[in-house]
């Protein structure tokens, strides 16, 4: 049985549109990059709204904002719901915003009904999820989860040389709370899918069970530079031909682990890059992703085998360097079950789904039981001013968010 609490989808939509005007672009998107004046304005909006609801709002030393409504049991750690309010330079209205404003709508619904939770109920907005101005992405949640230190975050510079710490103080959002000092009972994040699966299958809710593991490599292929006109084909050691064959192998490796595996060669450099010289060196990046680390390990083994074969056939040397290795994330079974049961009780169509993108929830999952809820977005389009989601889907997502939070809260009460 679902709760008898119902979020107000129209009210959620109004908040989405109201905040979308802060940094709103002519094409209907949002340019509200981290720690800009616009970011300061939307933070102030969020704080005002939360305080008007009677929440205590606190800010930590990397600018993460927490709005807390007390629970019945003082001893319990808060259940946190949230996402981020910063956007890409040509961002959309829903990425991140839906997660914070959907959580705020859940909070409004609790308050309007006079419903008391066992644990404190927290809405959180993480600093710099996008990473567009200050890399890496998911920085605020990363500091919270203990992956980065505050000092490391402070020292990061944007393309104009401005330090993160100075920008944070510049907009007046350096808080007192030590980052990461706060234990949580659980963390739930509502987000648009940013991919095409839910829309294609006409499902309202994606029950996110985890996030993909990612491995990045750079392959440097060394052949022999020589004259394009005078070197007979059998005598060549063409670094680019080997690179092209390896790119096809990357595709084949991903297809051999369908449907979830993906493999991409996104950057290729050829030397000397001259029309009449057989390339002597080619450098390429390889990006492999899957939600299961064992499968990723298999894919990596296949990559090594492909490299050995191509090196032999094409008489080149191929050196492979791993640049980046992020393990796959499995979200908390109880949190996933709460989302699944909530969606089912409310009668929404649903399917399990793996996140292909990074989210604050990935970092939070390291320190607290975590899950995510996806809703469809039009054409799977995101990080784009044309990003679009329906009022109905946003409302369904916020309702499932509330329902899952209530289920987790009920369990805390029985302890
Ligand atoms: Zn996002």
């Amino acid at each position: 049985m679902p709760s008898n609490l119902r979020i107000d989808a129209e009210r959620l939509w109004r908040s989405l549109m109201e905040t979308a005007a802060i940094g709103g672009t002519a094409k209907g998107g949002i340019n509200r990059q981290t720690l800009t004046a616009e970011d300061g304005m939307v933070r102030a909006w969020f704080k005002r709204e939360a305080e008007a609801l009677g929440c205590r709002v606190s800010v930590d030393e990397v600018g993460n904002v927490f709005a807390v409504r007390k629970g019945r049991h003082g001893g319990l750690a808060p259940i946190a719901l949230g996402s981020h309010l910063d956007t890409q330079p040509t961002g959309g209205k829903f990425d991140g915003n839906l997660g914070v404003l959907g959580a705020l709508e859940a909070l409004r619904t609790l308050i309007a009904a006079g419903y008391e939770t066992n644990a404190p109920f927290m809405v959180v907005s993480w600093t710099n999820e996008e990473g567009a101005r200050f890399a890496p992405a998911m920085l605020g949640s990363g500091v919270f989860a203990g992956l980065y230190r505050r000092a490391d975050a402070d020292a990061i510079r944007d393309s104009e040389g401005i330090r993160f710490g100075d920008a944070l103080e510049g907009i007046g959002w350096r808080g007192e709370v030590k980052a990461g000092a706060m234990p949580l009972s659980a963390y739930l994040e509502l987000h648009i899918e940013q991919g095409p699966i839910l829309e294609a299958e006409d499902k309202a809710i994606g029950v996110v069970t985890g996030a993909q593991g990612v491995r990045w490599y750079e392959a440097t292929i060394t052949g022999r530079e020589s004259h394009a006109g005078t070197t007979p084909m059998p005598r060549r050691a063409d670094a680019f031909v080997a690179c092209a064959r390896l790119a096809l192998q990357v595709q084949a490796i991903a297809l051999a682990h369908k449907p979830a595996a993906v493999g991409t060669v996104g950057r290729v450099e050829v030397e000397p890059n001259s029309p009449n010289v057989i390339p002597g060196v080619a450098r390429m990046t390889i990006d492999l992703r899957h939600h299961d680390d064992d499968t990723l390990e298999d894919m990596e083994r296949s990559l090594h085998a492909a490299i050995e074969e191509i090196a032999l056939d094409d008489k080149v040397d191929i050196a492979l360097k791993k640049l980046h290795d992020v393990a796959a994330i499995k979200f908390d079974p109880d949190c996933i079950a709460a989302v699944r049961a909530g969606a089912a009780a409310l009668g929404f169509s649903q399917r399990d789904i793996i996140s292909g993108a990074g989210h604050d929830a990935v970092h939070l999952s390291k320190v607290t039981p975590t899950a995510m809820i996806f809703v469809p977005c039009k054409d799977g389009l995101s990080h784009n001013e044309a990003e679009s989601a329906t009022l109905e889907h946003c409302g369904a997502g916020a309702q499932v968010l509330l329902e899952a939070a209530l289920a987790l809260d009920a369990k805390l009460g029985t302890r």
Side-chain angles (χ1 to χ4, degrees), residues 83-84 86 95-97 129-130 189 191 194 358-360 383:
S83 193
H84 59 96
D86 68 321
D95 178 359
N97 300 301
E129 192 278 341
E130 293 291 359
E189 181 166 348
H191 208 281
Q194 302 180 287
H359 292 289
D360 293 311
H383 286 189

Side-chain angles (χ1 to χ4, degrees), residues 225-233 236 274-279:
E225 256 172 53
S226 61
H227 196 292
T230 60
T231 315
M233 295 308 281
R236 297 180 177 211
S274 166
N276 58 353
V277 181
I278 297 161

Side-chain angles (χ1 to χ4, degrees), residues 44 55 63 75 94 124 146 150 155 157 169 192 195 247 262 268 271 284 288 292 311 345 363 381:
C55 290
F94 301 92
V124 48
R150 171 196 151 163
R157 290 176 192 272
E169 279 157 29
I192 54 169
V262 286
V268 173
E271 287 176 23
M284 65 199 294
L288 299 179
D292 178 67
H363 287 338
L381 200 62

Side-chain angles (χ1 to χ4, degrees), residues 304-371:
H304 284 297
I307 283 173
E308 241 170 71
E309 196 184 318
I310 292 168
L312 198 65
D313 287 358
D314 290 353
K315 300 183 286 291
V316 295
D317 180 71
I318 307 180
L320 188 72
K321 191 167 103 188
K322 198 185 279 189
L323 301 177
H324 196 50
D325 187 341
V326 181
I329 297 285
K330 287 192 183 0
F331 286 142
D332 176 73
D334 290 341
C335 290
I336 295 169
V339 171
R340 200 180 273 142
L346 292 158
F348 293 126
S349 56
Q350 60 166 293
R351 64 160 281 162
D352 286 5
I353 193 165
I354 297 283
S355 176
H359 292 289
D360 293 311
V362 168
H363 287 338
L364 267 291
S365 72
K366 303 276 200 309
V367 291
T368 192
T370 295

